[in-house]
Amino acid sequence: MTAHPMFPLGMTLLPGETLSLQVFEARYRQMVADCTAIDGTNSFGVVLISRGSEVGGGDERVGVGTLAAIETCTERPDGRYHLSCVGTDRFQVRSWLPDNPYPMADITMWPSTDPIAYPADLEPIRERLTGLSSVLSRVRGIVVEDRLVEPLRSEGPVDAKVYDTAVRLGLGPADRLKILSAPGTVERIIELCQAIDDLIAVIEFSGLPND
């Protein structure tokens, strides 16, 4: 069993994404202290809260998330912590353990089922981003130029470019969760394309004249 500290949040953290947190609740201050101890993990799992609140407990949580590696940790005079983290590995929750004193889960790492992909596989995303840029310009007068496709030009694995594009677009937690939960890169590209299609449709609808 791999028991790991968990921090359920109202967001879906993606691998490679930065995360800044102000930790004030007592149970999570204890978690940070444990994580950053000499024998600590220096990371915690982030999962989306499907129902409930980030504060107080009693929430319902999804079963897939991303490890957040703590890069900097600053303790404030009032006992709060300020954390700067980055998402690293994707995982699945095998079972939740008692929240004593903070959420813990038995997790297993979940690598992509097809880690080898090629730049050409990103072409469907590129085409949709071009369409999104056009719609933003026509409907809202927003000129984004090539900023949306910058992640696709970066060095690194195709998976990382998909995640970076989702972050750049500011997709909501539900769309992010679909992308994170896709078994492999091909499925992840399909989910991102669908999210962009939905975004284009919303923007076009907002530009329709009112009767």
Side-chain angles (χ1 to χ4, degrees):
M1 181 175 72
T2 304
H4 211 85
M6 304 293 286
F7 203 148
L9 293 171
M11 65 165 293
T12 301
L13 180 68
L14 296 177
E17 183 178 9
T18 57
L19 174 65
S20 179
L21 288 174
Q22 294 283 350
V23 181
F24 58 88
E25 198 174 350
R27 57 179 178 160
Y28 291 120
R29 294 204 307 267
Q30 181 63 56
M31 184 195 75
V32 171
D34 291 347
C35 287
T36 55
I38 293 176
D39 58 348
T41 61
N42 206 51
S43 68
F44 52 87
V46 174
V47 294
L48 174 66
I49 295 173
S50 57
R51 181 177 298 179
S53 170
E54 294 179 355
V55 179
D59 51 270
E60 296 180 15
R61 309 151 184 170
V62 304
V64 59
T66 302
L67 290 183
I70 301 172
E71 295 193 320
T72 63
C73 174
T74 304
E75 186 174 6
R76 305 298 189 189
D78 60 2
R80 292 181 301 156
Y81 288 99
H82 174 73
L83 301 181
S84 293
C85 310
V86 63
T88 57
D89 300 309
R90 182 176 69 156
F91 64 81
Q92 290 177 306
V93 175
R94 296 170 56 122
S95 63
W96 286 97
L97 307 176
D99 287 13
N100 185 23
Y102 46 77
M104 296 278 290
D106 172 18
I107 66 173
T108 181
M109 294 299 102
W110 190 20
S112 180
T113 56
D114 56 348
I116 299 176
Y118 303 94
D121 297 328
L122 296 170
E123 192 57 34
I125 300 175
R126 192 185 308 276
E127 292 174 355
R128 283 166 171 81
L129 291 177
T130 299
L132 176 59
S133 297
S134 176
V135 169
L136 284 171
S137 176
R138 172 170 52 84
V139 176
R140 297 187 178 175
I142 300 174
V143 179
V144 296
E145 297 178 339
D146 292 336
R147 282 175 288 173
L148 294 181
V149 298
E150 285 178 1
L152 303 184
R153 297 171 176 166
S154 63
E155 298 295 328
V158 170
D159 250 4
K161 297 180 182 183
V162 174
Y163 287 134
D164 288 349
T165 300
V167 172
R168 179 68 62 94
L169 290 173
L171 297 178
D175 284 329
R176 286 164 167 256
L177 181 61
K178 291 177 183 178
I179 292 168
L180 182 66
S181 301
T185 305
V186 172
E187 294 92 345
R188 191 161 296 115
I189 289 172
I190 292 172
E191 292 293 351
L192 178 57
C193 286
Q194 182 60 59
I196 299 173
D197 287 341
D198 292 344
L199 183 57
I200 290 173
V202 169
I203 295 172
E204 288 184 325
F205 181 79
S206 70
L208 292 177
N210 294 323
D211 295 333

